[in-house]
Amino acid sequence: MKMEKLHIKMRILKIKKMKTLFIDMDGVIVDFMQSVKNHPEYEKYKNEIDALPDVFLNALPMEFAIDSVGKLLDCGKYEVYIASTAPWGNIDSLSHKRIWIERYFGERLKKRLILTHRKDFLMGDYLIDDRLKNGAGEFKGEFIHFGTDKFPDWNSVLEYLL
């Protein structure tokens, strides 16, 4: 039964000709650096910020990120996934990222979170990321380099994709 549903979904996607879009979390939809700077234990962990307890769980979204991702979900052009890297030294970060996605996007993206250190293994049309690390720079589709002159903010990304 599950395979049948998967095949039906794949046929629907082909008919709609939806593109696959991956969106990074930290620095793209999550204001990670602000969360780090405001963290009560920042001084203790300033040389190993990825190890800050609950840093991902309590992070705020980037400006316009939630509405912008919502527009991409609603436009009917993209199959949207979140593709993020979680630091190995902060085991709670994996579940905290998942909780963060559910908090801000509910059921819409809860089961669309991919945690990977090899974004070049992702198969899709677009990747929005603020860094070239973890395979993002070798992504086989089109790389949208968030925070650069071409794509400085969510308005520029939406203008390009919509």
Side-chain angles (χ1 to χ4, degrees), residues 104-118:
Y104 286 98
F105 295 104
E107 295 293 320
R108 299 184 82 188
L109 287 174
K110 184 173 90 172
K111 294 184 179 180
R112 292 174 179 248
L113 173 62
I114 301 167
L115 296 173
T116 180
H117 276 79
R118 294 295 307 266

Side-chain angles (χ1 to χ4, degrees), residues 25-148:
M25 286 183 73
D26 311 327
V28 179
I29 59 172
V30 177
D31 196 342
F32 177 72
M33 290 313 297
Q34 193 63 36
S35 179
V36 166
K37 291 175 187 174
N38 292 336
H39 197 284
E41 295 185 75
Y42 172 71
E43 284 301 316
K44 180 179 174 183
Y45 289 92
K46 68 180 171 187
N47 294 325
E48 51 181 329
I49 59 173
D50 282 344
L52 275 166
D54 302 334
V55 68
F56 298 101
L57 185 63
N58 298 314
L60 294 174
M62 296 287 285
E63 186 175 27
F64 304 116
I66 305 304
D67 289 339
S68 297
V69 172
K71 288 177 183 178
L72 292 167
L73 285 163
D74 292 338
C75 76
K77 293 174 65 174
Y78 303 103
E79 184 78 8
V80 178
Y81 294 89
I82 302 301
S84 188
T85 300
W88 290 109
N90 187 343
I91 194 70
D92 291 333
S93 68
L94 287 90
S95 58
H96 290 175
K97 285 186 176 219
R98 188 253 186 230
I99 292 166
W100 193 96
I101 291 297
E102 187 175 1
R103 179 182 299 145
Y104 286 98
F105 295 104
E107 295 293 320
R108 299 184 82 188
L109 287 174
K110 184 173 90 172
K111 294 184 179 180
R112 292 174 179 248
L113 173 62
I114 301 167
L115 296 173
T116 180
H117 276 79
R118 294 295 307 266
K119 293 181 183 175
D120 54 323
F121 285 1
L122 298 171
M123 295 174 51
D125 300 288
Y126 300 96
L127 169 63
I128 304 170
D129 205 318
D130 63 318
R131 301 183 326 153
L132 299 170
K133 291 187 172 188
N134 301 314
E138 291 80 40
F139 177 70
K140 305 291 185 286
E142 186 173 342
F143 180 67
I144 297 175
H145 199 170
F146 191 83
T148 60

Side-chain angles (χ1 to χ4, degrees), residues 12-25:
I12 290 169
L13 290 175
K14 285 181 182 177
I15 291 168
K16 290 184 174 181
K17 295 185 178 159
M18 293 176 80
K19 304 276 186 182
T20 303
L21 170 64
F22 299 102
I23 304 172
D24 178 48
M25 286 183 73

